[in-house]
Amino acid sequence: MKRPATSAAGAALKKPAGKMVSLEFPKGFIWGSATAAYQIEGAAFEGGRTACIWDTFCAQEGKVKNGDNGTTACDHYHRFKEDVKLMKELNLPAYRFSISWSRLLPKGRGEPNPEAIKFYSSLLDELHKNNIKPYATIYHWDLPQCLEDEYGGWLSRKVVDDFEHYAATCFKCFGDRCKAWITFNEPWCSTVLGYANGEMAPGKKEKPETEPYIAAHHIILSHARAVKRYREEFKAKQGGVIGITLNMDWRHPLTEDEGDKAAAQRALDWQLGWFADPIWKGDYPASMRKRCGDRLPSFSEEEKQLIKGTSEFFGLNHYSTAYVAAPKGQAKTVSMWGNVQAGGYFDDQEVELIDDPRWGRSDMDWGVVPWGLKHMCEYIQQEYKPEGGILVTENGCACPDDDVNVAKFDSFRVEFYQGYIAQMHKAIEAGADVRGYFAWSLMDNFEWALGYSKRFGMVHIDYETQKRTPKQSALLISEVAKSNKLTLPESTLQESDFVMIEEGAGRKTTKDAPPGQKEG
């Protein structure tokens, strides 16, 4: 699989060559799609919603490609019934979405906004009417700007009380119809991209040696307090589950050298373990505590007990893979904006990431490496043994789908899904307790710092007319969800398997700080 096709002729689906194989999934396996409030809702200043940190970030010149913002996005706020109807037509039994904090609580705290309650209640009612199970993410990066202004947002411990109140408001207002909750989506992005390289809201990069760790500490405490509140006041009556979603691309040692193996483990510790270890084991990874010293905040014994065991499933967002080598000299990585990342967090983990030049590349220039998902699921199973299993809450790829006629035949994305789902199936066969898969994304949307220049959707969005057009990938996921099995060419299955990088090959990866862009 090489780069996505950019012409209608090149994008046309290839006829399956040779033998086809079918992979059956366990009974009750969950299939769905995912979105996020700021990326699709629009109506940014309607219905009582106030600004979030992404509205502010987008308004700053040069922060978002083409000066794009989420003011209209996919206009889901007004078109949610059409979107739910589309999910129903695509046989999608589950839908993961997020709630906008500044829509539900325009002042960041206090009483909820009746118009927001009406909107999310109507969405949930529509999902139930169509037998689609909702999975609600409480925080997908959109902190109310008023809390950022008042006390610095995630850098202040005050945010823990406000997040607990916000989460409890979600449970009170919607917990009778929503039985699956995700407290945070990808806190690594909120902290590293928000406070180390400044490429995402709130755009801070002045103190990469301390602020990412402080923000992460408060997010972990906020998560734990929200889960405690849910379990004490709501779980018995509402009967739901609650957990967290972490993002991690697989990190494979470049060689059998002990230095490369140690570097690969640090890469896992500094991204996944940073959040997963406190929640599943009770404290930060020993490697982080040793290297960061006092710069890494510490949990009290009481806090460790509060945090440990607070995720009832392991939510995983996974997109790509890289080989890892121990750097020669100071570690330097390049972000998706093309900026050299050094200092603080980036020095602490001390890793060099390398891609195999044989890998296909998505429109984000991310390597397409299906076997990485198998390794990732197996690692999580071995390291954390999540009682509620693993939910792949995001997986997908960007293709140059601006032209709707090209988008309808997104063969690159079809092969991407086939390869990754096949490797997830292999992980299950190998003993990983994977229980669900959510394709990212239901529809093309606002891709954060890249604005509308990248398209991840299974459904094409014409941003001028807001017309929705399903792509070939949507039909693939629809068939998989309906039959609970994946049918794919045997050759695609074989191509998805692990092949070690050739000695001496490789290029430095740009897949360090998604999302962003290489060209300025």
mmCIF file of all heavy atoms in Angstrom, residues 276-312:
data_model
loop_
_atom_site.group_PDB
_atom_site.id
_atom_site.type_symbol
_atom_site.label_atom_id
_atom_site.label_comp_id
_atom_site.label_asym_id
_atom_site.label_seq_id
_atom_site.Cartn_x
_atom_site.Cartn_y
_atom_site.Cartn_z
ATOM 1 N N ALA A 276 -1.448 5.348 31.715
ATOM 2 C CA ALA A 276 -1.978 4.017 32.030
ATOM 3 C C ALA A 276 -1.420 3.468 33.341
ATOM 4 O O ALA A 276 -2.141 2.814 34.098
ATOM 5 C CB ALA A 276 -1.674 3.047 30.886
ATOM 6 N N ASP A 277 -0.141 3.709 33.612
ATOM 7 C CA ASP A 277 0.452 3.135 34.829
ATOM 8 C C ASP A 277 -0.225 3.639 36.108
ATOM 9 O O ASP A 277 -0.548 2.824 36.989
ATOM 10 C CB ASP A 277 1.958 3.406 34.871
ATOM 11 C CG ASP A 277 2.748 2.359 34.089
ATOM 12 O OD1 ASP A 277 2.197 1.815 33.106
ATOM 13 O OD2 ASP A 277 3.906 2.084 34.451
ATOM 14 N N PRO A 278 -0.468 4.945 36.278
ATOM 15 C CA PRO A 278 -1.179 5.367 37.482
ATOM 16 C C PRO A 278 -2.567 4.732 37.598
ATOM 17 O O PRO A 278 -2.995 4.347 38.690
ATOM 18 C CB PRO A 278 -1.276 6.887 37.323
ATOM 19 C CG PRO A 278 -0.133 7.256 36.440
ATOM 20 C CD PRO A 278 -0.008 6.097 35.480
ATOM 21 N N ILE A 279 -3.271 4.603 36.459
ATOM 22 C CA ILE A 279 -4.648 4.119 36.482
ATOM 23 C C ILE A 279 -4.723 2.614 36.697
ATOM 24 O O ILE A 279 -5.603 2.118 37.399
ATOM 25 C CB ILE A 279 -5.371 4.545 35.184
ATOM 26 C CG1 ILE A 279 -5.538 6.077 35.169
ATOM 27 C CG2 ILE A 279 -6.731 3.854 35.049
ATOM 28 C CD1 ILE A 279 -6.006 6.649 33.844
ATOM 29 N N TRP A 280 -3.783 1.852 36.126
ATOM 30 C CA TRP A 280 -3.819 0.391 36.285
ATOM 31 C C TRP A 280 -2.853 -0.124 37.353
ATOM 32 O O TRP A 280 -3.055 -1.207 37.879
ATOM 33 C CB TRP A 280 -3.537 -0.291 34.941
ATOM 34 C CG TRP A 280 -4.796 -0.477 34.146
ATOM 35 C CD1 TRP A 280 -5.655 -1.545 34.196
ATOM 36 C CD2 TRP A 280 -5.362 0.429 33.188
ATOM 37 N NE1 TRP A 280 -6.709 -1.341 33.336
ATOM 38 C CE2 TRP A 280 -6.559 -0.144 32.707
ATOM 39 C CE3 TRP A 280 -4.973 1.681 32.700
ATOM 40 C CZ2 TRP A 280 -7.368 0.489 31.760
ATOM 41 C CZ3 TRP A 280 -5.775 2.306 31.747
ATOM 42 C CH2 TRP A 280 -6.955 1.713 31.293
ATOM 43 N N LYS A 281 -1.813 0.656 37.654
ATOM 44 C CA LYS A 281 -0.799 0.160 38.599
ATOM 45 C C LYS A 281 -0.620 1.041 39.832
ATOM 46 O O LYS A 281 -0.001 0.607 40.807
ATOM 47 C CB LYS A 281 0.543 0.019 37.877
ATOM 48 C CG LYS A 281 0.507 -0.955 36.703
ATOM 49 C CD LYS A 281 1.866 -1.060 36.026
ATOM 50 C CE LYS A 281 1.846 -2.010 34.853
ATOM 51 N NZ LYS A 281 3.185 -2.141 34.216
ATOM 52 N N GLY A 282 -1.088 2.277 39.785
ATOM 53 C CA GLY A 282 -1.048 3.117 40.971
ATOM 54 C C GLY A 282 -0.014 4.225 40.984
ATOM 55 O O GLY A 282 0.001 5.036 41.914
ATOM 56 N N ASP A 283 0.865 4.302 39.977
ATOM 57 C CA ASP A 283 1.868 5.376 39.970
ATOM 58 C C ASP A 283 2.482 5.497 38.576
ATOM 59 O O ASP A 283 2.321 4.619 37.725
ATOM 60 C CB ASP A 283 2.970 5.102 40.996
ATOM 61 C CG ASP A 283 3.690 6.374 41.460
ATOM 62 O OD1 ASP A 283 3.407 7.463 40.901
ATOM 63 O OD2 ASP A 283 4.530 6.284 42.373
ATOM 64 N N TYR A 284 3.208 6.599 38.379
ATOM 65 C CA TYR A 284 3.899 6.809 37.113
ATOM 66 C C TYR A 284 4.967 5.728 36.898
ATOM 67 O O TYR A 284 5.475 5.145 37.871
ATOM 68 C CB TYR A 284 4.586 8.175 37.107
ATOM 69 C CG TYR A 284 3.640 9.353 37.088
ATOM 70 C CD1 TYR A 284 3.651 10.303 38.115
ATOM 71 C CD2 TYR A 284 2.743 9.531 36.038
ATOM 72 C CE1 TYR A 284 2.794 11.396 38.093
ATOM 73 C CE2 TYR A 284 1.882 10.619 36.013
ATOM 74 C CZ TYR A 284 1.909 11.551 37.041
ATOM 75 O OH TYR A 284 1.062 12.625 37.017
ATOM 76 N N PRO A 285 5.349 5.475 35.639
ATOM 77 C CA PRO A 285 6.430 4.510 35.383
ATOM 78 C C PRO A 285 7.706 4.904 36.125
ATOM 79 O O PRO A 285 8.020 6.097 36.239
ATOM 80 C CB PRO A 285 6.631 4.602 33.872
ATOM 81 C CG PRO A 285 5.338 5.107 33.330
ATOM 82 C CD PRO A 285 4.805 6.031 34.388
ATOM 83 N N ALA A 286 8.432 3.904 36.608
ATOM 84 C CA ALA A 286 9.679 4.162 37.346
ATOM 85 C C ALA A 286 10.667 4.939 36.479
ATOM 86 O O ALA A 286 11.411 5.795 36.984
ATOM 87 C CB ALA A 286 10.293 2.843 37.804
ATOM 88 N N SER A 287 10.670 4.658 35.178
ATOM 89 C CA SER A 287 11.602 5.360 34.278
ATOM 90 C C SER A 287 11.344 6.857 34.277
ATOM 91 O O SER A 287 12.283 7.664 34.255
ATOM 92 C CB SER A 287 11.466 4.810 32.857
ATOM 93 O OG SER A 287 10.150 4.998 32.367
ATOM 94 N N MET A 288 10.085 7.256 34.310
ATOM 95 C CA MET A 288 9.742 8.679 34.320
ATOM 96 C C MET A 288 10.117 9.321 35.657
ATOM 97 O O MET A 288 10.656 10.425 35.696
ATOM 98 C CB MET A 288 8.249 8.866 34.051
ATOM 99 C CG MET A 288 7.792 8.468 32.670
ATOM 100 S SD MET A 288 6.066 8.941 32.349
ATOM 101 C CE MET A 288 6.244 10.703 32.035
ATOM 102 N N ARG A 289 9.816 8.622 36.727
ATOM 103 C CA ARG A 289 10.111 9.185 38.054
ATOM 104 C C ARG A 289 11.614 9.372 38.243
ATOM 105 O O ARG A 289 12.063 10.381 38.801
ATOM 106 C CB ARG A 289 9.539 8.277 39.150
ATOM 107 C CG ARG A 289 8.014 8.375 39.253
ATOM 108 C CD ARG A 289 7.430 7.520 40.355
ATOM 109 N NE ARG A 289 7.239 6.138 39.934
ATOM 110 C CZ ARG A 289 7.688 5.083 40.591
ATOM 111 N NH1 ARG A 289 8.387 5.223 41.703
ATOM 112 N NH2 ARG A 289 7.445 3.866 40.146
ATOM 113 N N LYS A 290 12.380 8.420 37.717
ATOM 114 C CA LYS A 290 13.838 8.502 37.871
ATOM 115 C C LYS A 290 14.419 9.633 37.036
ATOM 116 O O LYS A 290 15.242 10.423 37.528
ATOM 117 C CB LYS A 290 14.464 7.169 37.456
ATOM 118 C CG LYS A 290 15.974 7.121 37.639
ATOM 119 C CD LYS A 290 16.524 5.756 37.245
ATOM 120 C CE LYS A 290 18.047 5.716 37.392
ATOM 121 N NZ LYS A 290 18.608 4.399 36.995
ATOM 122 N N ARG A 291 13.995 9.753 35.786
ATOM 123 C CA ARG A 291 14.579 10.750 34.887
ATOM 124 C C ARG A 291 14.092 12.165 35.177
ATOM 125 O O ARG A 291 14.846 13.126 35.033
ATOM 126 C CB ARG A 291 14.256 10.398 33.429
ATOM 127 C CG ARG A 291 15.178 9.341 32.864
ATOM 128 C CD ARG A 291 14.817 8.992 31.437
ATOM 129 N NE ARG A 291 15.817 8.048 30.927
ATOM 130 C CZ ARG A 291 16.669 8.322 29.945
ATOM 131 N NH1 ARG A 291 16.654 9.505 29.365
ATOM 132 N NH2 ARG A 291 17.525 7.416 29.541
ATOM 133 N N CYS A 292 12.816 12.309 35.528
ATOM 134 C CA CYS A 292 12.241 13.646 35.693
ATOM 135 C C CYS A 292 12.438 14.211 37.097
ATOM 136 O O CYS A 292 12.401 15.435 37.275
ATOM 137 C CB CYS A 292 10.752 13.624 35.355
ATOM 138 S SG CYS A 292 10.408 13.206 33.640
ATOM 139 N N GLY A 293 12.597 13.341 38.072
ATOM 140 C CA GLY A 293 12.795 13.819 39.435
ATOM 141 C C GLY A 293 11.640 14.682 39.904
ATOM 142 O O GLY A 293 10.467 14.360 39.682
ATOM 143 N N ASP A 294 11.955 15.814 40.512
ATOM 144 C CA ASP A 294 10.928 16.687 41.080
ATOM 145 C C ASP A 294 10.076 17.387 40.023
ATOM 146 O O ASP A 294 9.040 17.972 40.349
ATOM 147 C CB ASP A 294 11.574 17.748 41.987
ATOM 148 C CG ASP A 294 12.187 17.134 43.235
ATOM 149 O OD1 ASP A 294 11.813 15.986 43.562
ATOM 150 O OD2 ASP A 294 13.039 17.782 43.872
ATOM 151 N N ARG A 295 10.522 17.355 38.776
ATOM 152 C CA ARG A 295 9.707 17.988 37.723
ATOM 153 C C ARG A 295 8.432 17.209 37.453
ATOM 154 O O ARG A 295 7.473 17.748 36.897
ATOM 155 C CB ARG A 295 10.521 18.133 36.442
ATOM 156 C CG ARG A 295 11.623 19.165 36.509
ATOM 157 C CD ARG A 295 12.322 19.354 35.173
ATOM 158 N NE ARG A 295 13.098 18.179 34.762
ATOM 159 C CZ ARG A 295 12.772 17.370 33.751
ATOM 160 N NH1 ARG A 295 11.676 17.589 33.038
ATOM 161 N NH2 ARG A 295 13.538 16.319 33.441
ATOM 162 N N LEU A 296 8.430 15.932 37.789
ATOM 163 C CA LEU A 296 7.232 15.108 37.641
ATOM 164 C C LEU A 296 6.475 15.159 38.964
ATOM 165 O O LEU A 296 6.996 14.720 39.993
ATOM 166 C CB LEU A 296 7.616 13.667 37.310
ATOM 167 C CG LEU A 296 6.452 12.696 37.059
ATOM 168 C CD1 LEU A 296 5.741 13.026 35.753
ATOM 169 C CD2 LEU A 296 6.957 11.249 37.037
ATOM 170 N N PRO A 297 5.261 15.710 38.973
ATOM 171 C CA PRO A 297 4.513 15.764 40.231
ATOM 172 C C PRO A 297 4.319 14.362 40.805
ATOM 173 O O PRO A 297 4.315 13.373 40.068
ATOM 174 C CB PRO A 297 3.173 16.380 39.820
ATOM 175 C CG PRO A 297 3.438 17.083 38.530
ATOM 176 C CD PRO A 297 4.506 16.281 37.850
ATOM 177 N N SER A 298 4.156 14.288 42.090
ATOM 178 C CA SER A 298 3.968 12.982 42.731
ATOM 179 C C SER A 298 2.567 12.877 43.322
ATOM 180 O O SER A 298 1.960 13.886 43.710
ATOM 181 C CB SER A 298 5.018 12.765 43.825
ATOM 182 O OG SER A 298 4.942 13.794 44.785
ATOM 183 N N PHE A 299 2.074 11.669 43.377
ATOM 184 C CA PHE A 299 0.779 11.393 43.996
ATOM 185 C C PHE A 299 0.983 11.022 45.459
ATOM 186 O O PHE A 299 1.929 10.306 45.799
ATOM 187 C CB PHE A 299 0.086 10.219 43.297
ATOM 188 C CG PHE A 299 -0.236 10.453 41.849
ATOM 189 C CD1 PHE A 299 0.427 9.751 40.848
ATOM 190 C CD2 PHE A 299 -1.209 11.369 41.469
ATOM 191 C CE1 PHE A 299 0.128 9.950 39.513
ATOM 192 C CE2 PHE A 299 -1.517 11.583 40.133
ATOM 193 C CZ PHE A 299 -0.843 10.870 39.150
ATOM 194 N N SER A 300 0.099 11.491 46.315
ATOM 195 C CA SER A 300 0.104 11.033 47.698
ATOM 196 C C SER A 300 -0.391 9.594 47.731
ATOM 197 O O SER A 300 -0.967 9.100 46.749
ATOM 198 C CB SER A 300 -0.816 11.918 48.552
ATOM 199 O OG SER A 300 -2.172 11.712 48.172
ATOM 200 N N GLU A 301 -0.174 8.907 48.842
ATOM 201 C CA GLU A 301 -0.656 7.528 48.962
ATOM 202 C C GLU A 301 -2.171 7.466 48.800
ATOM 203 O O GLU A 301 -2.709 6.553 48.176
ATOM 204 C CB GLU A 301 -0.231 6.928 50.307
ATOM 205 C CG GLU A 301 1.251 6.624 50.398
ATOM 206 C CD GLU A 301 1.735 5.698 49.280
ATOM 207 O OE1 GLU A 301 1.048 4.681 49.008
ATOM 208 O OE2 GLU A 301 2.782 6.003 48.662
ATOM 209 N N GLU A 302 -2.857 8.451 49.329
ATOM 210 C CA GLU A 302 -4.323 8.511 49.208
ATOM 211 C C GLU A 302 -4.732 8.692 47.743
ATOM 212 O O GLU A 302 -5.679 8.058 47.270
ATOM 213 C CB GLU A 302 -4.858 9.678 50.048
ATOM 214 C CG GLU A 302 -6.380 9.729 50.107
ATOM 215 C CD GLU A 302 -6.878 10.891 50.946
ATOM 216 O OE1 GLU A 302 -6.054 11.662 51.473
ATOM 217 O OE2 GLU A 302 -8.120 11.034 51.058
ATOM 218 N N GLU A 303 -3.999 9.533 47.024
ATOM 219 C CA GLU A 303 -4.304 9.752 45.609
ATOM 220 C C GLU A 303 -4.031 8.508 44.776
ATOM 221 O O GLU A 303 -4.788 8.192 43.853
ATOM 222 C CB GLU A 303 -3.493 10.937 45.075
ATOM 223 C CG GLU A 303 -3.994 12.279 45.577
ATOM 224 C CD GLU A 303 -3.061 13.428 45.243
ATOM 225 O OE1 GLU A 303 -1.865 13.171 44.940
ATOM 226 O OE2 GLU A 303 -3.516 14.585 45.290
ATOM 227 N N LYS A 304 -2.977 7.793 45.103
ATOM 228 C CA LYS A 304 -2.690 6.551 44.372
ATOM 229 C C LYS A 304 -3.847 5.572 44.497
ATOM 230 O O LYS A 304 -4.236 4.909 43.525
ATOM 231 C CB LYS A 304 -1.404 5.910 44.899
ATOM 232 C CG LYS A 304 -0.135 6.667 44.545
ATOM 233 C CD LYS A 304 1.091 5.989 45.166
ATOM 234 C CE LYS A 304 2.353 6.793 44.922
ATOM 235 N NZ LYS A 304 3.534 6.176 45.570
ATOM 236 N N GLN A 305 -4.408 5.485 45.686
ATOM 237 C CA GLN A 305 -5.541 4.600 45.909
ATOM 238 C C GLN A 305 -6.779 5.090 45.176
ATOM 239 O O GLN A 305 -7.583 4.293 44.677
ATOM 240 C CB GLN A 305 -5.829 4.470 47.413
ATOM 241 C CG GLN A 305 -4.740 3.755 48.188
ATOM 242 C CD GLN A 305 -4.410 2.381 47.634
ATOM 243 O OE1 GLN A 305 -5.304 1.567 47.386
ATOM 244 N NE2 GLN A 305 -3.129 2.109 47.411
ATOM 245 N N LEU A 306 -6.926 6.410 45.132
ATOM 246 C CA LEU A 306 -8.057 7.010 44.414
ATOM 247 C C LEU A 306 -7.994 6.683 42.923
ATOM 248 O O LEU A 306 -9.004 6.368 42.290
ATOM 249 C CB LEU A 306 -8.035 8.540 44.608
ATOM 250 C CG LEU A 306 -8.991 9.366 43.735
ATOM 251 C CD1 LEU A 306 -10.428 9.178 44.200
ATOM 252 C CD2 LEU A 306 -8.610 10.847 43.761
ATOM 253 N N ILE A 307 -6.782 6.737 42.358
ATOM 254 C CA ILE A 307 -6.591 6.613 40.909
ATOM 255 C C ILE A 307 -6.610 5.165 40.437
ATOM 256 O O ILE A 307 -7.212 4.840 39.410
ATOM 257 C CB ILE A 307 -5.253 7.274 40.503
ATOM 258 C CG1 ILE A 307 -5.307 8.780 40.774
ATOM 259 C CG2 ILE A 307 -4.929 7.011 39.043
ATOM 260 C CD1 ILE A 307 -3.934 9.438 40.826
ATOM 261 N N LYS A 308 -5.957 4.290 41.190
ATOM 262 C CA LYS A 308 -5.783 2.906 40.732
ATOM 263 C C LYS A 308 -7.127 2.202 40.547
ATOM 264 O O LYS A 308 -8.002 2.251 41.407
ATOM 265 C CB LYS A 308 -4.926 2.129 41.730
ATOM 266 C CG LYS A 308 -4.522 0.749 41.225
ATOM 267 C CD LYS A 308 -3.600 0.042 42.209
ATOM 268 C CE LYS A 308 -3.198 -1.329 41.685
ATOM 269 N NZ LYS A 308 -2.340 -2.043 42.657
ATOM 270 N N GLY A 309 -7.278 1.568 39.389
ATOM 271 C CA GLY A 309 -8.499 0.811 39.118
ATOM 272 C C GLY A 309 -9.666 1.641 38.628
ATOM 273 O O GLY A 309 -10.816 1.217 38.740
ATOM 274 N N THR A 310 -9.382 2.831 38.086
ATOM 275 C CA THR A 310 -10.470 3.724 37.690
ATOM 276 C C THR A 310 -10.801 3.691 36.199
ATOM 277 O O THR A 310 -11.392 4.626 35.677
ATOM 278 C CB THR A 310 -10.161 5.173 38.113
ATOM 279 O OG1 THR A 310 -8.862 5.538 37.617
ATOM 280 C CG2 THR A 310 -10.212 5.335 39.615
ATOM 281 N N SER A 311 -10.437 2.634 35.503
ATOM 282 C CA SER A 311 -10.901 2.495 34.117
ATOM 283 C C SER A 311 -11.431 1.085 33.931
ATOM 284 O O SER A 311 -10.707 0.117 34.136
ATOM 285 C CB SER A 311 -9.778 2.783 33.110
ATOM 286 O OG SER A 311 -10.312 2.989 31.821
ATOM 287 N N GLU A 312 -12.694 0.996 33.538
ATOM 288 C CA GLU A 312 -13.361 -0.297 33.459
ATOM 289 C C GLU A 312 -13.208 -0.959 32.088
ATOM 290 O O GLU A 312 -13.783 -2.007 31.832
ATOM 291 C CB GLU A 312 -14.838 -0.117 33.840
ATOM 292 C CG GLU A 312 -14.957 0.332 35.285
ATOM 293 C CD GLU A 312 -16.330 0.805 35.704
ATOM 294 O OE1 GLU A 312 -17.256 0.771 34.869
ATOM 295 O OE2 GLU A 312 -16.485 1.218 36.871
#
